[in-house]
Amino acid sequence: PVMAYDKKQLVAPITKWDVLEALSETHELDLICENLVDFPDKGIQSVGQFDVGVQIPFRNGTSTYYIVIEVGSAQAAAEAEAERLAEEERIRAERSFSVSRMEGMDADDDDEDISDEDAAQSGQGASDDDLD
């Protein structure tokens, strides 16, 4: 949750326990607090991306891997979606157009009135090559 007056500041910090629970649920990776290194002492308190080290002990030593924790704001996401929808509506309204009737054309005119000679002159007729 994010505070309404400061879109980047969280109401409550994300703790190591929150991260461990997410890793367990989404990646089936069960760790303890000591496995998380480079984690802010007071927890993650704002929106953004955070690199957190995860130390995993093996028989031949300990390896450190870095994960990226991305903290988003539901409020900011909702505002961005509202802006996107408003922009789509503005574009849709801008694209409105109408086609007026062309001069010299009657409603009863259609393409069948073009004679074979006129079609040949304009390149619309079938040539001898097309008949093969």
Side-chain angles (χ1 to χ4, degrees), residues 2 5 9 11 17 23 26 29 46 53 58 61 63 73 117 122:
V2 176
Y5 60 88
Q9 197 66 29
V11 173
W17 292 106
L23 288 172
T26 59
L29 183 60
S46 62
F58 296 104
S63 293
S73 161
E117 187 177 312
S122 66

Side-chain angles (χ1 to χ4, degrees), residues 99-111:
V99 177
S100 60
R101 185 171 179 188
M102 295 175 58
E103 290 185 32
M105 296 289 290
D106 290 334
D108 295 335
D109 284 350
D110 56 26
D111 291 339

Side-chain angles (χ1 to χ4, degrees), residues 17-111:
W17 292 106
D18 297 325
V19 173
L20 293 173
E21 183 178 346
L23 288 172
S24 180
E25 288 177 2
T26 59
H27 299 287
E28 297 181 7
L29 183 60
D30 295 325
L31 302 170
I32 58 175
C33 285
E34 289 77 25
N35 292 117
L36 296 180
V37 295
D38 301 328
F39 195 87
D41 292 335
K42 294 182 180 181
I44 296 173
Q45 299 184 15
S46 62
V47 172
Q49 286 187 346
F50 302 88
D51 293 331
V52 175
V54 177
Q55 284 186 340
I56 301 178
F58 296 104
R59 285 185 213 148
N60 58 352
T62 300
S63 293
T64 302
Y65 303 93
Y66 283 86
I67 60 173
V68 176
I69 298 174
E70 191 167 331
V71 181
S73 161
Q75 180 180 354
E79 289 173 2
E81 178 66 10
E83 287 176 17
R84 186 188 66 77
L85 292 173
E87 180 67 11
E88 279 184 6
E89 184 59 33
R90 185 188 66 74
I91 290 170
R92 193 175 299 119
E94 258 181 26
R95 287 193 316 198
S96 301
F97 65 91
S98 63
V99 177
S100 60
R101 185 171 179 188
M102 295 175 58
E103 290 185 32
M105 296 289 290
D106 290 334
D108 295 335
D109 284 350
D110 56 26
D111 291 339

